[in-house]
Amino acid sequence: MTQPSDSRSPSSLTLIRPDDWHLHVRDGEALKTVVPHTAAQFGRAVIMPNLRPPVTTAEQAVAYRKRIFSAAPKPFAGQKPFEPLMTLYLTDNLPANEIKRAKDARVVAVKLYPAGATTNSDAGVTDLRKTYKTLEAMQREGLLLLVHGEVTSSEIDLFDREAVFIDTQLIPLRRDFPELKIVFEHITTREAAQYVQSAGNFTAATITAHHLLYNRNAIFSGGIRPHYYCLPVLKREIHREALVAAATSGSPQFFLGTDSAPHAAHLKEHASGCAGCYTAHAAIELYAQAFDAAGAMDKLEGFASLFGPDFYQLPRNESTITLRRESWTPPESYALGDAVLKPLAGGEVLQWRMV
Ligand code: NCD
Ligand code: ZN
Ligand code: ZN
């Protein structure tokens, strides 16, 4: 079969090494499995702080960075080592003076989890006004605010929680802190994509590979499929289409964040299964699949490698990676300490492979 070779549907693609702007690696034994997956593809990754207990001080972030760094494979000669970019977890009591210490420790951002919104978020913010002194310090020091954008109240339908968050939380926050850089993480709806486009240069969003590839039918096809369950939950097809349009638009406000979130398989295949999809084993290949399906391979490099560092005001990576159109099948499982980790698309044929 001859392969089309125009720039929107090529048979191979070399791009500046991408970064992952939203990643969970957990701690302890799990690091040995998941950090090498990310380090094989990405130059840097923004590490989420939702450990138990959460990462709330600069000192804890520095110690966590060391543990992650030790789990990354040694780089080849001449190659830069994988760089974990650290974040703090915003609580009602994160003191404003911790922000200066964080900045000095090269922490890049602070993460807002509304209390109870997602995995390990019980220590999250109960009322944004309690955090305003800290947000002022962040705006001053140039630390970004990363947002899990869902309201938590049980009266709001689960599928509407992101859209309601925009109106009730994000719009007032944006107004009160006009120069705070905000990343609306793992957006899942047309409303979120439209909001980000209209919100100006200090607002951006990350988009996961799974929200580009699947709609909510994936969770229920032929029986309940817990490995497709994450938060914010997969939405209708119109929302997936809006996310693909945003990611492939060439707008620098949208960039790559996998939200790869490892959980032991027995805790996902459970009466009350954990939220989170694991994609780090084949992250860039899954994004390539989504961009290729949209005829937009020429837009992948901006989304994966350029717009993230530009928004964070960090240098772009210098090395490159190459993807080839080639069928391959990722493994169905990995060891995760004493448990098993089942990656998304494990045992399924993918069309792109990193060389
Ligand atoms: C994440 C996790 O497991 O830590 N889960 C998820 O479903 N995305 C938390 C998060 O990013 O909300
Ligand atoms: Zn989240
Ligand atoms: Zn996450």
Side-chain angles (χ1 to χ4, degrees):
M1 197 177 91
T2 55
Q3 295 293 351
S5 65
D6 69 277
S7 68
R8 279 165 298 133
S9 185
S11 55
S12 78
L13 180 73
T14 295
L15 62 159
I16 291 186
R17 183 174 292 277
D19 302 300
D20 184 350
W21 300 94
H22 183 128
L23 177 68
H24 303 267
V25 293
R26 315 305 186 202
D27 208 346
E29 285 296 297
L31 297 176
K32 293 184 188 158
T33 299
V34 304
V35 174
H37 287 167
T38 292
Q41 302 201 330
F42 296 102
R44 295 165 286 198
V46 173
I47 307 297
M48 292 298 128
N50 61 331
L51 302 182
R52 276 181 188 281
V55 180
T56 52
T57 67
E59 196 182 342
Q60 288 168 341
V62 168
Y64 187 29
R65 174 164 58 209
K66 283 209 188 97
R67 298 196 294 278
I68 297 167
F69 193 74
S70 311
K74 298 280 157 287
F76 301 118
Q79 201 197 318
K80 272 197 173 171
F82 171 67
E83 188 183 356
L85 301 172
M86 306 313 290
T87 62
L88 297 190
Y89 186 113
L90 187 64
T91 68
D92 289 350
N93 328 303
L94 180 68
N97 60 16
E98 194 63 25
I99 297 303
K100 177 79 173 69
R101 281 195 283 277
K103 167 119 181 156
D104 292 344
R106 290 185 294 115
V107 167
V108 295
V110 175
K111 180 70 192 276
L112 162 64
Y113 293 99
T118 185
T119 307
N120 298 350
S121 64
D122 345 324
V125 171
T126 61
D127 179 351
L128 260 177
R129 276 165 302 189
K130 294 185 177 166
T131 68
Y132 268 32
K133 284 259 171 333
T134 306
L135 298 180
E136 272 161 30
M138 288 166 57
Q139 182 168 254
R140 198 166 55 239
E141 298 289 345
L143 258 70
L144 285 74
L145 179 69
L146 315 182
V147 179
H148 179 109
E150 287 192 289
V151 292
T152 54
S153 77
S154 56
E155 308 90 81
I156 308 290
D157 189 281
L158 183 83
F159 290 92
D160 298 335
R161 288 181 186 178
E162 185 175 275
V164 173
F165 182 87
I166 298 169
D167 294 331
T168 62
Q169 309 286 315
L170 203 48
I171 290 174
L173 181 68
R174 186 67 294 173
R175 187 191 55 224
D176 291 347
F177 296 93
E179 301 209 336
L180 178 64
K181 282 200 169 172
I182 298 178
V183 185
F184 195 173
E185 298 288 337
H186 50 43
I187 61 167
T188 64
T189 56
R190 181 169 63 183
E191 288 86 347
Q194 282 170 351
Y195 168 74
V196 170
Q197 269 150 8
S198 71
N201 289 342
F202 286 86
T203 307
T206 54
I207 306 180
T208 77
H210 42 290
H211 289 96
L212 294 174
L213 288 168
Y214 308 111
N215 65 34
R216 65 192 193 176
N217 288 346
I219 311 169
F220 306 103
S221 67
I224 191 147
R225 294 180 178 244
H227 295 283
Y228 291 93
Y229 173 59
C230 65
L231 288 169
V233 74
L234 294 170
K235 303 294 192 302
R236 285 179 182 276
E237 179 64 5
I238 54 158
H239 296 291
R240 190 193 69 81
E241 286 167 359
L243 299 176
V244 170
T248 61
S249 67
S251 161
Q253 286 175 284
F254 300 99
F255 47 83
L256 185 157
T258 62
D259 193 21
S260 178
H263 290 277
H266 68 276
L267 297 177
K268 287 192 67 65
E269 299 163 5
H270 190 277
S272 173
C274 297
C277 298
Y278 186 73
T279 54
H281 65 300
I284 195 66
E285 290 92 344
L286 291 167
Y287 280 105
Q289 189 123 334
F291 275 65
D292 195 23
M297 287 299 280
D298 59 326
K299 296 293 199 291
L300 183 60
E301 185 181 45
F303 176 83
S305 314
L306 310 182
F307 305 151
D310 293 356
F311 192 76
Y312 275 73
Q313 291 180 285
L314 292 169
R316 294 172 174 182
N317 290 324
E318 284 162 16
S319 61
T320 60
I321 65 163
T322 296
L323 299 170
R324 211 173 23 226
R325 193 185 290 278
E326 175 191 316
S327 300
W328 69 292
T329 306
E332 284 182 29
S333 67
Y334 297 98
L336 186 71
D338 296 334
V340 169
L341 173 62
K342 294 197 186 161
L344 220 59
E348 293 172 22
V349 179
L350 298 182
Q351 303 305 330
W352 286 87
R353 186 163 206 178
M354 196 176 122
V355 179

